Amino acid sequence: MFFKEHLPVSIPIGLGLPEAPPPTLAPRRKTRQLMVGNVGVGSDYPVSVQSMTTTKTHDINATLQQIAQLAATGCDIVRVACPKTVDAEALPIIAKKSPIPVIADIHFQPKYIFAAIDAGCAAVRVNPGNIREFDGRVKEVAKAAGAANIPIRIGVNAGSLDKRMLEKYGKATPEALVESAIWEASLFEEYGYGDIAISVKHNDPVIMVEAYRQLAAKTDYPLHLGVTEAGPAFQGTIKSAVAFGWLLGSGIGDTIRVSLSADPVEEIKVGEKILESLNLRPRGLEIISCPSCGRAQVDVYTLAEEVTAGMEGLEVPLRVAVMGCVVNGPGEARDADLGVASGNGKGQIFVKGKVIKTVPEDQIVETLLEEAHRLIAEMDPDDIQAAKNLGTGASVSITSKS
């Protein structure tokens, strides 16, 4: 079969989601399991979505406010920078008050690793390539992290690769990234510490994919995926979607960050959609609409935009089809929970596969919104919340209150 299913249990969903486990392209690569706060990272857990605050960490209120926005958007884990002593001093309050696990991002100064551990951060990300005398401090770091029972992410980055690897390989090749990561992990293992996740990031998606492929074949560490310095929102989204699609579609990857030169909330939105598109996260509200086509007999662009705007903020598992012609329209509308197949200035409204009415074009949006809210009102609130929290690890069935 082209598709292989790896989800451990079925997910019978009545509205918006399939009645069987959604197909995936490959089974998840088996890894060791970590806990980042209350979020599991590894093959036994759903792929999680991360972002990083853009505030100055020592501005505690601003940082907590941004974390709250990220959490509300669906962020599972957040990373905060710790370049200065004032930032380290803010970590205890941020770690305690954050609604999601906080990872401290450490560069240059090893003393901040210990400050982050003492502050109660859920994990620490270290960049061995630019932390002074890092290899000589691994024993201390391993002891402190082990005592606190928190994981370490070894973050190897093409832009700050260990000088020894640059001398050996000449540049940040996949082999250089992988060798650096495995070397650093081996130092921790020598001291009995193995709660490690690894990232090997590069700004070129092809090099990045090859690095993760090689790393996945050589280790069982959970992998954090990222295309580093991916660029502005449009370019970064494309790069990340291409790279993540290949890797996650091959079963590689346990937590992701979409790195964009944009509001970090946008990183979460893109990351969630990538996971939804690969059936690695339950799909919420999904709008299906026609592409550009000369067959359209109504203004499908405007219809789709108005329906999308009208349903903004609805966090429910509902698939809505807005179709503009009679070729594919009836089939797509019939397969959706709610849909319209349009032609000659009119629209046939479908609900759960059946035509319920035909309305003029100027009433299509209003009718779809009315029917959407009616369907939502019939859903059991507990089941909606269960579907939103599902990931890939538990079964849930959405039913109607009637």
Side-chain angles (χ1 to χ4, degrees):
M1 293 179 64
F2 181 70
F3 290 100
K4 296 180 181 179
E5 297 177 0
H6 74 271
L7 300 187
V9 291
S10 62
I11 308 176
I13 300 292
L15 289 172
L17 294 173
E19 296 182 355
T24 55
L25 292 169
R28 285 277 293 281
R29 161 183 166 268
K30 295 298 182 183
T31 73
R32 59 186 72 184
Q33 313 305 316
L34 305 177
M35 291 303 299
V36 179
N38 61 355
V39 177
V41 174
S43 54
D44 288 353
Y45 301 98
V47 178
S48 54
V49 180
Q50 300 188 25
S51 186
M52 186 171 182
T53 55
T54 58
T55 58
K56 301 298 183 184
T57 303
H58 58 263
D59 188 341
I60 295 174
N61 290 336
T63 300
L64 286 173
Q65 183 176 7
Q66 190 169 73
I67 291 174
Q69 293 171 342
L70 290 167
T73 308
C75 184
D76 299 305
I77 301 169
V78 66
R79 186 156 43 109
V80 299
C82 188
K84 299 179 180 180
T85 299
V86 287
D87 301 311
E89 292 172 346
L91 289 177
I93 297 176
I94 292 171
K96 181 179 180 180
K97 294 190 175 182
S98 171
I100 54 179
V102 173
I103 297 178
D105 190 68
I106 309 299
H107 299 266
F108 306 117
Q109 293 284 356
K111 65 180 181 180
Y112 297 137
I113 300 174
F114 305 103
I117 292 172
D118 292 341
C121 291
V124 177
R125 183 265 178 144
V126 297
N127 187 340
N130 64 21
I131 294 180
R132 297 171 187 170
E133 301 177 354
F134 179 74
D135 289 0
R137 306 295 297 272
V138 167
K139 182 178 181 179
E140 297 173 70
V141 174
K143 181 179 179 180
N149 195 30
I150 68 169
I152 297 287
R153 171 158 73 90
I154 297 173
V156 176
N157 194 301
S160 53
L161 186 62
D162 189 302
K163 292 181 179 179
R164 294 167 295 183
M165 298 302 160
L166 285 176
E167 291 173 359
K168 179 177 180 178
Y169 291 95
K171 59 181 178 179
T173 64
E175 292 76 15
L177 295 169
V178 171
E179 183 174 334
S180 178
I182 292 178
W183 163 254
E184 299 298 345
S186 73
L187 297 181
F188 280 96
E189 296 284 2
E190 284 184 13
Y191 299 109
Y193 180 86
D195 290 341
I196 298 167
I198 294 179
S199 61
V200 282
K201 296 186 178 182
H202 199 286
N203 59 66
D204 184 324
V206 175
I207 296 176
M208 173 267 198
V209 166
E210 180 58 23
Y212 278 101
R213 285 181 67 249
Q214 292 183 20
L215 185 60
K218 295 179 178 181
T219 76
D220 69 344
Y221 297 114
L223 301 182
H224 170 75
L225 303 186
V227 179
T228 191
E229 289 94 35
F234 178 77
Q235 175 179 298
T237 295
I238 298 299
K239 281 187 174 183
S240 298
V242 169
F244 293 178
W246 200 103
L247 290 167
L248 292 169
S250 301
I252 298 171
D254 305 287
T255 181
I256 65 173
R257 181 200 174 184
V258 178
S259 297
L260 302 177
S261 300
D263 188 324
V265 165
E266 296 304 311
E267 297 183 350
I268 301 304
K269 293 178 180 178
V270 174
E272 288 192 316
K273 284 301 179 184
I274 290 173
L275 295 182
E276 288 178 12
S277 297
L278 292 166
N279 284 337
L280 293 172
R281 180 166 289 203
R283 302 189 185 204
L285 177 65
E286 181 179 11
I287 307 294
I288 300 168
S289 60
C290 293
S292 56
C293 174
R295 296 190 301 263
Q297 296 176 325
V298 297
D299 184 359
V300 69
Y301 304 140
T302 300
L303 288 178
E305 288 178 356
E306 291 180 352
V307 170
T308 300
M311 296 187 178
E312 184 176 2
L314 296 180
E315 298 182 3
V316 292
L318 192 69
R319 185 176 289 113
V320 182
V322 182
M323 306 301 295
C325 81
V326 296
V327 176
N328 297 315
E332 293 285 2
R334 187 177 295 112
D335 287 342
D337 300 310
L338 172 64
V340 59
S342 307
N344 296 322
K346 298 179 180 179
Q348 282 190 320
I349 306 297
F350 288 75
V351 174
K352 299 180 69 173
K354 296 181 180 180
V355 177
I356 62 166
K357 65 180 71 173
T358 300
V359 299
E361 181 177 354
D362 62 2
Q363 295 180 22
I364 288 175
V365 174
E366 177 185 356
T367 304
L368 287 175
L369 295 179
E370 288 177 354
E371 292 300 324
H373 285 286
R374 184 181 64 79
L375 287 173
I376 293 168
E378 292 177 355
M379 295 181 188
D380 187 291
D382 292 337
D383 286 343
I384 293 175
Q385 187 61 43
K388 288 166 58 180
N389 295 337
L390 180 58
T392 59
S395 63
V396 63
S397 175
I398 288 188
T399 56
S400 67
K401 292 188 294 186
S402 59

